[in-house]
Amino acid sequence: MRIILLGPPGAGKGTQAKILAEKLNLPHISTGDILRQNVKEATALGLQARAFMDRGDLVPDELVAKMLMHRFEQPDIKEGFILDGYPRNLVQAKTLDGILQKKNMGVDLVVYLDTSEPVIIQRLTGRLVCSKCGANFHIKNMPPKRDAVCDYCGDRLYQRSDDKEETVRKRLEVYRKETASLIQYYQEMQKLHRLSADEDAEVVLKSIIGLAAGIQDDPFKE
Ligand code: AMP
């Protein structure tokens, strides 16, 4: 099953994608995570991407396309994937169509996680991320059991530099300008399903599972 999670920053794409990927035994492909890993390792891509990310801007399409093509060469995507953070604009949507077409694949489901601005700001400015496994927590909504320590792998939690309120507002502006048009793109392809992502993560997850189950016969059976 090939699923795209679409929505503004703070919609919970990463949180949902991580759980779905485990449940469906599919790879979670997050372009943001891959870019952050490159920044951390100071690769050529990381060095080029860093300034864009720190400002809350999109990293140039060609750089991200190359990175994605490389990821799609891995054999684990054969059974499907949960894509989070890509595409971010129409050029990227068409790049993805091209990559999939070459592999005789298509997208099965695009879930648009519709989220209101106050919820986005509250979620992102309180978000904590694990520096090792990438798990997300929230200082109020989903606090870790131990202060600043990941419940899953015990590594250190940190605040993403682009989760400061000013940068969050910039990322939202970029989302409205560039990414929101994808809602119509996937609507016209009859792939889009809209959910309110202001709800708690478990409620949203249940709805996504319901949608996926409707697309394919019981993809959640053990
Ligand atoms: P995310 O983790 O998805 O919120 O992404 C964090 C940052 O990484 C974004 O604000 C962008 O700077 C960059 N980024 C992630 N995915 C993409 C993409 N598909 N295209 C361009 N930039 C991206």
Side-chain angles (χ1 to χ4, degrees):
M1 170 145 258
R2 294 179 281 271
I3 302 176
I4 296 176
L5 297 185
L6 197 67
K13 300 186 296 295
T15 302
Q16 299 295 342
K18 198 168 162 48
I19 303 172
L20 275 176
E22 271 164 29
K23 281 192 182 293
L24 289 168
N25 198 22
L26 292 174
H28 167 202
I29 303 179
S30 155
T31 46
D33 282 353
I34 304 174
L35 286 166
R36 276 184 291 280
Q37 190 61 30
N38 276 274
V39 169
K40 196 170 157 190
E41 291 170 7
T43 64
L45 170 63
L47 293 174
Q48 282 173 289
R50 183 177 191 151
F52 295 98
M53 295 171 76
D54 282 347
R55 283 200 304 269
D57 274 327
L58 293 184
V59 174
D61 292 336
E62 319 79 68
L63 290 180
V64 188
K66 218 164 128 191
M67 179 184 99
L68 192 76
M69 280 178 213
H70 178 68
R71 181 63 186 86
F72 271 80
E73 289 311 317
Q74 311 299 312
D76 64 344
I77 63 131
K78 267 219 283 271
E79 301 300 323
F81 50 80
I82 315 289
L83 195 49
D84 144 28
Y86 196 98
R88 286 285 234 273
N89 58 30
L90 272 176
V91 171
Q92 295 189 3
K94 290 186 177 155
T95 299
L96 177 65
D97 289 347
I99 294 175
L100 293 178
Q101 252 162 31
K102 276 197 195 137
K103 297 183 181 298
N104 282 322
M105 290 178 176
V107 171
D108 297 307
L109 173 66
V110 181
V111 183
Y112 166 41
L113 298 174
D114 195 2
T115 321
S116 65
E117 186 161 328
V119 171
I120 292 171
I121 303 283
Q122 195 267 356
R123 276 187 192 158
L124 291 187
T125 53
R127 172 160 71 176
L128 295 170
V129 184
C130 175
S131 42
K132 190 171 174 198
C133 74
N136 282 345
F137 296 86
H138 188 278
I139 45 173
K140 279 208 191 107
N141 311 347
M142 212 195 291
K145 291 190 185 107
R146 280 193 295 152
D147 232 16
V149 176
C150 178
D151 288 359
Y152 305 104
C153 72
D155 220 83
R156 189 182 57 85
L157 302 180
Y158 72 105
Q159 186 189 35
R160 275 172 47 174
S161 59
D162 60 351
D163 276 349
K164 297 191 178 76
E165 183 157 349
E166 198 185 303
T167 319
V168 166
R169 291 199 186 278
K170 175 67 197 285
R171 286 162 63 203
L172 269 175
E173 193 188 307
V174 170
Y175 171 79
R176 284 194 206 97
K177 222 170 95 195
E178 304 249 1
T179 314
S181 58
L182 295 180
I183 296 166
Q184 195 186 343
Y185 183 77
Y186 287 115
Q187 218 158 22
E188 282 167 10
M189 279 171 73
Q190 301 189 339
K191 300 286 181 198
L192 192 94
H193 294 260
R194 182 188 299 251
L195 291 179
S196 166
D198 280 358
E199 313 291 333
D200 286 344
E202 305 84 70
V203 177
V204 178
L205 179 67
K206 248 189 168 166
S207 304
I208 302 177
I209 288 176
L211 286 174
I215 301 277
Q216 192 176 288
D217 278 348
D218 201 4
F220 294 95
K221 70 172 181 272
E222 297 293 320

